[in-house]
Amino acid sequence: MTTTTSTQTPTGAGGGAFQRGLRTFLRSRETGILAALVIVVLITTIKNPSFLFSQDGFRDLLLTPSILVLVAVGQAIVIITRSVDLSVGSVVGLTAYLTGRLFIDVPGIPIIVVFAAGMALGAALGLLNGALVAFGKVPALVITLGTLYAYRGINVLWAGSNRVNASDLPKDFLALGTSALLFVPYLTIIALIVVLVAGWYLRNQRGGRELYAIGSDPDAAQLYGLGVTRRILVAFLLCGALAGLAGVLFAARYGTTNSQTGTGLELQAVGAAVIGGVAIFGGSGTVYGAAIGAVLLLTINRALPILGIPDFWQQAVVGTLIIGAIVLDRVLSLRLSRQLISEREVSA
Amino acid sequence: MSISPSNSGPPALELRGVAKAFGSVVALTSADLTVHMNSIHALVGENGAGKSTLVKIVAGLYQRDAGDFLLRGESVDFRSTAEAKAAGIAVIYQEPTLFPDLSVTENIFMGRQPTQRFGRIDRKAMRAEAEELFTRLAVRIDPDRPAEGLSIADQQIIEIAKAISVDARVLIMDEPTAALSGVEVDRLFAVARSLRDEGRALVFISHRFDEVFALCDTITVMRDGQYISTDAIQSTSVDEIVRRMVGREVTDLFPKEVAPVGDVLLEVEGLTSAGVFHDVSFTVRSGEIVGLSGLVGAGRSEIVRAVFGVDRYDSGAVRMHGKSVPKLNPTAAMAAGMALVPEDRRKQGLVLESSVARNLTLSTRTRLSRFGFIDSSLENRAAKDWAGRLEVKTNALDTEVGTLSGGNQQKVVLGKWLSTNPEVLIIDEPTRGIDVGTKAEVHRLLSQLAGEGLGIVMISSELPEILGTADRVLVVREGRITAEISRADATAESIMFAATHSTESIQ
């Protein structure tokens, strides 16, 4: 969403609109990050063709990032409103464990009910975050840092040293986590649907646009008479529900869950959103960017060992990527505002 | 000026005896305002006369404590900006509040976008409507560009477009021309007149009398939170209005001892920061108080912040004792003998959660420490000395600063900077939000400090304060110094004139 029309040309019809669309596409952050992803995949595939061209390689490429994509989409929605949700890792942990317990404690429970339960628990935990932020007027960073530990604590209390194993789960459910429809894993299909629906909502619904407005300038949103409190609640609720969905799918994908499931996922999700061009101060970016960011993050992690870069450097590379993304944003926006000021000086 | 306000039917907006207080500070005692349809009504008054508070009450941002508020003859009570908006009131602030990341079109329609099936926003219809609005206003703004980086003038046009698109009947413009160039003002006025001719009621708040007299048909004067007068514009004059705005004896409130003026301490030469201030030059001598006057937003604070090295500047020089002071380096400015007491003491001058003693010694902590640790007995002794000299009223030096009154907080900030033994003290709005008694004390203190040989630069929006304490007055208008007036020649009228008229008309 970084359209910079510095020259105020009146817009023509037809070809003009197409050209403008093309320029927007080429300049957009999502395109850049997608290009980076393609380059990473290309280089790694040249080094080791099975990274892309073996059946497992192709499947892993799509399957591995799918859960993070879900969490990153939720995170992006919250960050767009100028908040952040650090508790998502713990929410994934709780809902993943809930999934296991439901299959063990309620034999024969329909899979769809488990999905609903996981998402409902996630939504409730997200709503609690949102309520504390919206009504307590405390920065989300602090609130969700608190619930990060609180939710994890509940998980530890509940699970203790128990763990749910793959053998406790129904085969149909586990199949959902690994099998594919025409080479595309179910998990990836679910993630893709979520990304498209969330992206459509944020772009085309009043509620979605208001999330951007609130993040862009909260005071102005108040002056406009937008329902700021309600929107923030909704953003956190969606984020929680998506983390809940991710938790259920985590159980399906890996089979094993314990009290530490999902630890650290929150930072990966924030990182993915930032890399994907979601401004940490809210108001701009898309869930598409966040999703591609998530894929890039995990693909790099898998590519580095193949390229012969030691484990030791992997985290540093991810860190550099995040800092690079933020510096890039800052430099671009500074340059833009400077340019606009000097243009005004000249015309005045 | 052909159209006179049609007085048939109830007025579009009527306020009677409206009062509003914030804690112990009274912003409005009794404000009246009656605006008719088909009329552009000027609301004038000094800084702090209560115009902005009145506007915020009309806008639904504040609730009045007493008085009547009628809209087309019916009593109303707004609890939020949304309610005021729904009733047809639109306020265009001096600095519009737009969403910088979103497009111009979205800014106009946020919250009430046209929708299609499934609640999908109809972008085409929205954009077309935005273009239609701009055509109607005869302006050219790309509806697709982001609001970020738009000039203030264009931002105001967007606010106006927003107001028209909801068919607001009452438009209030709070100092809309303060940041506009001549061409932009003309454009705004053309728009305002066409809105008036459509039967809307407009309230125009401005300090520029030439504009007020060119645009408005009726004028209401406020002073000290009170209604003073309402006249048809033809039956009054600028002199008359200025006299009513100022209208009070000022001299006795501010005891002033004239100190012998010594050597030049601070020299500022040709200071320029693009878009903020231009070619600012002045000197400060030992023993004198230089008043920096001008309207709020004229760039006074920005100038002193740049001089002290907090903000950047593009060209020019700052010298202390003839030696140049590096830019963007407050530590060097302090070492050279400058001190800056900022405008917003709660945010920039104090650590509210810390004790009085810690705050007083904050800027001298390196001198009070041994082996890198602050020696608390040394600290307490230094703090006690200053608290005593400035008569800070507090039970104990370990009281949290946040719990002190505004006046005492200001004294703590002053003490903090005076303890660095500065030669030039720059003080921004020294008595804002302070009760009258303490004000006089702060003035006595400044006067006494000048007597001890300090050079003082004082920014103040209160004319009586400037007239009462300053030896020399520099008037800033839109980032330029437009007049330098000696104490003998300074009057409320002469300063107000320089603050509201462009340089060309003064020379």
Side-chain angles (χ1 to χ4, degrees):
Chain A
M1 298 297 288
T2 40
T3 13
T4 49
T5 5
S6 49
T7 45
Q8 297 197 13
T9 42
T11 44
F18 174 74
Q19 271 187 352
R20 193 222 306 270
L22 187 69
R23 201 163 54 216
T24 307
F25 174 76
L26 287 178
R27 278 199 193 173
S28 83
R29 183 59 175 277
E30 289 78 11
T31 315
I33 197 88
L34 194 61
L37 178 62
V38 170
I39 290 169
V40 168
V41 172
L42 269 180
I43 292 176
T44 319
T45 307
I46 290 168
K47 177 101 178 176
N48 181 356
S50 71
F51 186 70
L52 181 61
F53 291 117
S54 70
Q55 202 174 4
D56 274 359
F58 183 69
R59 196 196 66 169
D60 284 348
L61 195 65
L62 294 177
L63 197 53
T64 312
S66 295
I67 289 172
L68 182 61
V69 165
L70 291 173
V71 182
V73 166
Q75 190 68 255
I77 294 174
V78 170
I79 294 180
I80 282 169
T81 65
R82 205 181 275 198
S83 281
V84 69
D85 187 348
L86 293 182
S87 73
V88 286
S90 303
V91 173
V92 168
L94 263 178
T95 49
Y97 192 70
L98 172 80
T99 304
R101 292 278 14 138
L102 282 177
F103 282 122
I104 295 170
D105 299 339
V106 191
I109 187 171
I111 290 175
I112 186 82
V113 174
V114 174
F115 268 90
M119 287 180 73
L121 176 63
L125 296 173
L127 191 63
L128 179 62
N129 284 332
L132 289 170
V133 171
F135 298 116
K137 307 274 176 221
V138 183
L141 185 76
V142 184
I143 291 284
T144 58
L145 185 64
T147 52
L148 167 113
Y149 287 106
Y151 294 167
R152 181 63 67 190
I154 294 170
N155 201 350
V156 171
L157 193 71
W158 186 16
S161 54
N162 289 340
R163 61 159 59 205
V164 175
N165 292 309
S167 56
D168 301 325
L169 302 176
K171 283 214 167 50
D172 290 350
F173 180 68
L174 288 172
L176 210 56
T178 41
S179 48
L181 180 77
L182 293 173
F183 305 113
V184 184
Y186 286 114
L187 236 60
T188 307
I189 295 173
I190 294 174
L192 206 61
I193 291 171
V194 166
V195 169
L196 291 175
V197 170
W200 185 84
Y201 174 79
L202 285 178
R203 179 161 168 77
N204 290 314
Q205 290 281 312
R206 281 186 187 173
R209 299 318 295 167
E210 287 181 18
L211 293 179
Y212 281 96
I214 290 165
S216 187
D217 189 335
D219 295 336
Q222 206 83 50
L223 280 176
Y224 266 68
L226 304 182
V228 178
T229 308
R230 192 166 57 107
R231 296 290 174 214
I232 289 178
L233 287 178
V234 168
F236 274 97
L237 183 135
L238 289 174
C239 180
L242 287 176
L245 177 61
V248 177
L249 294 175
F250 189 99
R253 164 97 169 90
Y254 298 102
T256 338
T257 64
N258 57 26
S259 66
Q260 297 307 313
T261 301
T263 306
L265 209 57
E266 61 281 339
L267 294 183
Q268 282 187 323
V270 174
V274 169
I275 292 172
V278 178
I280 199 78
F281 292 119
S284 74
T286 63
V287 294
Y288 308 121
I292 304 171
V295 176
L296 179 65
L297 203 64
L298 293 188
T299 306
I300 283 183
N301 268 347
R302 286 180 47 242
L304 291 178
I306 296 172
L307 297 174
I309 296 167
D311 271 15
F312 178 72
W313 286 104
Q314 290 177 26
Q315 307 229 3
V317 168
V318 171
T320 311
L321 213 61
I322 292 174
I323 293 172
I326 289 177
V327 169
L328 183 73
D329 274 353
R330 190 80 199 120
V331 168
L332 288 178
S333 85
L334 265 180
R335 207 173 61 180
L336 178 65
S337 71
R338 283 253 150 158
Q339 180 193 338
L340 288 163
I341 284 177
S342 57
E343 267 176 23
R344 272 217 305 281
E345 289 278 301
V346 171
S347 67
Chain B
M1 295 302 92
S2 54
I3 296 171
S4 62
S6 69
N7 287 325
S8 57
L13 171 73
E14 191 173 6
L15 295 150
R16 281 194 305 250
V18 170
K20 176 77 191 172
F22 300 94
S24 59
V25 180
V26 178
L28 290 176
T29 46
S30 168
D32 290 18
L33 182 66
T34 305
V35 188
H36 291 276
M37 314 257 187
N38 275 319
S39 159
I40 304 180
H41 195 116
L43 181 61
V44 297
E46 263 189 88
N47 292 328
K51 295 163 300 186
S52 292
T53 311
L54 193 67
V55 168
K56 284 176 179 159
I57 287 173
V58 176
L61 213 58
Y62 297 159
Q63 279 75 51
R64 65 189 186 281
D65 297 337
D68 299 318
F69 180 178
L70 294 97
L71 212 59
R72 265 155 284 160
E74 287 185 30
S75 177
V76 286
D77 236 333
F78 298 136
R79 237 149 299 155
S80 70
T81 50
E83 286 181 22
K85 217 165 264 178
I89 291 173
V91 181
I92 289 125
Y93 297 97
Q94 184 181 342
E95 305 242 326
T97 44
L98 299 177
F99 303 113
D101 301 294
L102 303 184
S103 76
V104 165
T105 306
E106 287 207 273
N107 266 287
I108 297 176
F109 294 100
M110 182 54 69
R112 38 181 198 82
Q113 299 96 329
T115 51
Q116 297 164 308
R117 265 197 309 166
F118 309 117
R120 180 184 179 157
I121 292 170
D122 190 343
R123 285 176 183 275
K124 261 204 187 121
M126 197 161 83
R127 191 175 182 284
E129 207 177 319
E131 284 201 312
E132 201 186 300
L133 282 168
F134 289 143
T135 314
R136 203 167 136 198
L137 294 171
V139 294
R140 278 181 52 171
I141 300 173
D142 179 3
D144 298 321
R145 61 160 291 163
E148 164 122 56
L150 277 176
S151 71
I152 301 260
D154 285 347
Q155 293 184 36
Q156 286 171 345
I157 292 293
I158 289 165
E159 293 276 5
I160 292 173
K162 210 162 74 186
I164 299 174
S165 74
V166 295
D167 198 28
R169 305 312 297 177
V170 177
L171 269 89
I172 300 174
M173 297 192 267
D174 192 352
E175 291 196 45
T177 58
L180 305 197
S181 67
V183 187
E184 292 168 334
V185 170
D186 291 343
R187 186 181 72 173
L188 181 70
F189 282 9
V191 168
R193 289 195 182 100
S194 74
L195 295 177
R196 174 196 63 194
D197 296 343
E198 287 171 12
R200 297 174 215 270
L202 279 80
V203 178
F204 180 69
I205 297 177
S206 177
H207 287 287
R208 299 174 170 176
F209 293 112
D210 43 347
E211 293 174 5
V212 166
F213 277 75
L215 180 69
C216 305
D217 45 57
T218 321
I219 183 164
T220 292
V221 180
M222 285 180 73
R223 187 208 313 147
D224 299 332
Q226 248 174 326
Y227 168 81
I228 299 297
S229 66
T230 299
D231 294 283
I233 209 94
Q234 300 96 324
S235 62
T236 186
S237 68
V238 176
D239 287 347
E240 178 75 33
I241 296 294
V242 168
R243 204 157 47 242
R244 285 191 202 146
M245 281 168 58
V246 180
R248 82 178 94 99
E249 291 306 310
V250 288
T251 36
D252 31 329
L253 246 176
F254 305 91
K256 161 88 184 166
E257 321 156 16
V258 177
V261 171
D263 300 336
V264 171
L265 296 175
L266 172 69
E267 281 174 276
V268 175
E269 202 183 297
L271 217 58
T272 299
S273 174
V276 189
F277 49 83
H278 303 273
D279 197 22
V280 171
S281 303
F282 62 91
T283 58
V284 181
R285 291 164 181 275
S286 133
E288 73 172 347
I289 301 180
V290 177
L292 218 49
S293 186
L295 303 171
V296 172
R300 298 165 304 171
S301 304
E302 288 76 5
I303 292 170
V304 297
R305 284 169 60 85
V307 168
F308 191 66
V310 182
D311 291 347
R312 55 187 294 283
Y313 53 88
D314 299 322
S315 59
V318 178
R319 283 187 290 272
M320 280 288 286
H321 292 297
K323 275 205 277 186
S324 92
V325 180
K327 54 164 103 171
L328 271 180
N329 189 344
T331 316
M334 278 167 70
M338 271 192 259
L340 173 73
V341 181
E343 179 180 6
D344 186 346
R345 53 180 175 270
R346 294 187 78 89
K347 270 196 200 144
Q348 299 171 5
L350 289 172
V351 185
L352 291 173
E353 295 80 9
S354 285
S355 71
V356 171
R358 182 52 56 85
N359 269 288
L360 273 169
T361 55
L362 210 56
S363 51
T364 50
R365 61 191 186 287
T366 41
R367 226 190 298 152
L368 296 176
S369 57
R370 257 183 228 157
F371 315 117
F373 293 96
I374 293 174
D375 183 322
S376 55
S377 69
L378 262 179
E379 180 184 44
N380 270 322
R381 229 177 302 146
K384 206 172 195 166
D385 183 34
W386 279 106
R389 276 188 68 184
L390 299 174
E391 299 172 29
V392 177
K393 292 186 186 67
T394 172
N395 300 329
L397 286 174
D398 56 10
T399 316
E400 265 184 38
V401 166
T403 63
L404 297 183
S405 74
N408 280 308
Q409 285 186 9
Q410 185 67 297
K411 286 186 196 168
V412 172
V413 181
L414 255 179
K416 173 181 128 185
W417 286 107
L418 291 175
S419 63
T420 63
N421 295 320
E423 293 173 90
V424 172
L425 176 70
I426 305 170
I427 186 161
D428 197 349
E429 300 284 3
T431 62
R432 169 164 295 171
I434 293 179
D435 61 276
V436 180
T438 321
K439 264 186 190 177
E441 253 181 87
V442 171
H443 294 139
R444 181 189 53 75
L445 201 66
L446 291 178
S447 203
Q448 183 193 327
L449 289 168
E452 289 169 14
L454 225 68
I456 296 177
V457 180
M458 179 183 76
I459 296 180
S460 174
S461 295
E462 293 184 37
L463 280 178
E465 182 166 274
I466 289 277
L467 291 170
T469 50
D471 294 287
R472 218 154 31 97
V473 184
L474 303 172
V475 185
V476 183
R477 178 183 173 274
E478 287 166 23
R480 293 173 197 276
I481 293 186
T482 52
E484 177 167 351
I485 310 172
S486 68
R487 181 172 175 79
D489 299 332
T491 61
E493 287 80 4
S494 64
I495 293 175
M496 201 48 121
F497 191 83
T500 52
H501 289 69
S502 53
T503 340
E504 300 83 60
S505 58
I506 288 169
Q507 285 159 352

mmCIF file of all heavy atoms in Angstrom, chain B residues 23 68 197 200 248 330 439 451 475 499:
data_model
loop_
_atom_site.group_PDB
_atom_site.id
_atom_site.type_symbol
_atom_site.label_atom_id
_atom_site.label_comp_id
_atom_site.label_asym_id
_atom_site.label_seq_id
_atom_site.Cartn_x
_atom_site.Cartn_y
_atom_site.Cartn_z
ATOM 1 N N GLY B 23 -11.446 21.974 36.147
ATOM 2 C CA GLY B 23 -10.936 22.027 37.513
ATOM 3 C C GLY B 23 -11.099 23.438 38.034
ATOM 4 O O GLY B 23 -12.188 23.998 37.998
ATOM 5 N N ASP B 68 -27.349 27.950 27.643
ATOM 6 C CA ASP B 68 -28.231 27.349 26.650
ATOM 7 C C ASP B 68 -27.486 27.143 25.340
ATOM 8 O O ASP B 68 -26.635 27.934 24.962
ATOM 9 C CB ASP B 68 -29.431 28.265 26.377
ATOM 10 C CG ASP B 68 -30.240 28.476 27.643
ATOM 11 O OD1 ASP B 68 -30.435 27.492 28.380
ATOM 12 O OD2 ASP B 68 -30.636 29.626 27.903
ATOM 13 N N ASP B 197 -23.947 31.071 0.325
ATOM 14 C CA ASP B 197 -25.033 31.308 -0.618
ATOM 15 C C ASP B 197 -25.955 30.107 -0.752
ATOM 16 O O ASP B 197 -27.080 30.222 -1.220
ATOM 17 C CB ASP B 197 -24.471 31.713 -1.989
ATOM 18 C CG ASP B 197 -23.722 33.037 -1.886
ATOM 19 O OD1 ASP B 197 -23.928 33.741 -0.871
ATOM 20 O OD2 ASP B 197 -22.937 33.348 -2.796
ATOM 21 N N ARG B 200 -26.035 27.946 4.157
ATOM 22 C CA ARG B 200 -25.421 27.428 5.375
ATOM 23 C C ARG B 200 -24.964 28.570 6.265
ATOM 24 O O ARG B 200 -24.815 29.711 5.826
ATOM 25 C CB ARG B 200 -24.217 26.558 5.022
ATOM 26 C CG ARG B 200 -24.573 25.338 4.223
ATOM 27 C CD ARG B 200 -23.308 24.606 3.785
ATOM 28 N NE ARG B 200 -23.500 24.007 2.467
ATOM 29 C CZ ARG B 200 -23.972 22.778 2.274
ATOM 30 N NH1 ARG B 200 -24.280 22.021 3.296
ATOM 31 N NH2 ARG B 200 -24.115 22.303 1.069
ATOM 32 N N ARG B 248 -8.287 46.227 28.728
ATOM 33 C CA ARG B 248 -8.118 46.173 30.175
ATOM 34 C C ARG B 248 -6.823 46.857 30.562
ATOM 35 O O ARG B 248 -5.897 46.950 29.758
ATOM 36 C CB ARG B 248 -8.140 44.730 30.682
ATOM 37 C CG ARG B 248 -6.849 43.970 30.562
ATOM 38 C CD ARG B 248 -7.006 42.600 31.150
ATOM 39 N NE ARG B 248 -7.357 41.640 30.106
ATOM 40 C CZ ARG B 248 -6.445 40.840 29.524
ATOM 41 N NH1 ARG B 248 -5.206 40.856 29.905
ATOM 42 N NH2 ARG B 248 -6.790 40.005 28.583
ATOM 43 N N PRO B 330 21.989 20.106 22.465
ATOM 44 C CA PRO B 330 21.561 20.836 23.662
ATOM 45 C C PRO B 330 22.637 20.849 24.750
ATOM 46 O O PRO B 330 22.756 21.818 25.495
ATOM 47 C CB PRO B 330 20.333 20.059 24.141
ATOM 48 C CG PRO B 330 19.862 19.301 22.961
ATOM 49 C CD PRO B 330 21.074 19.011 22.147
ATOM 50 N N LYS B 439 1.359 33.902 39.108
ATOM 51 C CA LYS B 439 1.852 34.572 37.911
ATOM 52 C C LYS B 439 2.720 35.768 38.296
ATOM 53 O O LYS B 439 3.846 35.905 37.819
ATOM 54 C CB LYS B 439 0.674 35.089 37.082
ATOM 55 C CG LYS B 439 0.265 34.177 35.986
ATOM 56 C CD LYS B 439 -0.792 34.827 35.124
ATOM 57 C CE LYS B 439 -1.340 33.768 34.180
ATOM 58 N NZ LYS B 439 -2.413 34.262 33.340
ATOM 59 N N GLY B 451 17.725 41.469 36.665
ATOM 60 C CA GLY B 451 18.488 42.412 37.466
ATOM 61 C C GLY B 451 19.851 41.860 37.857
ATOM 62 O O GLY B 451 20.827 42.601 37.999
ATOM 63 N N VAL B 475 8.023 40.422 17.425
ATOM 64 C CA VAL B 475 6.761 39.811 17.035
ATOM 65 C C VAL B 475 7.005 38.825 15.905
ATOM 66 O O VAL B 475 7.626 39.163 14.898
ATOM 67 C CB VAL B 475 5.744 40.876 16.594
ATOM 68 C CG1 VAL B 475 4.394 40.216 16.324
ATOM 69 C CG2 VAL B 475 5.601 41.946 17.655
ATOM 70 N N ALA B 499 1.351 41.098 14.628
ATOM 71 C CA ALA B 499 1.161 39.646 14.664
ATOM 72 C C ALA B 499 0.149 39.185 13.643
ATOM 73 O O ALA B 499 0.093 38.007 13.308
ATOM 74 C CB ALA B 499 0.720 39.216 16.064
#
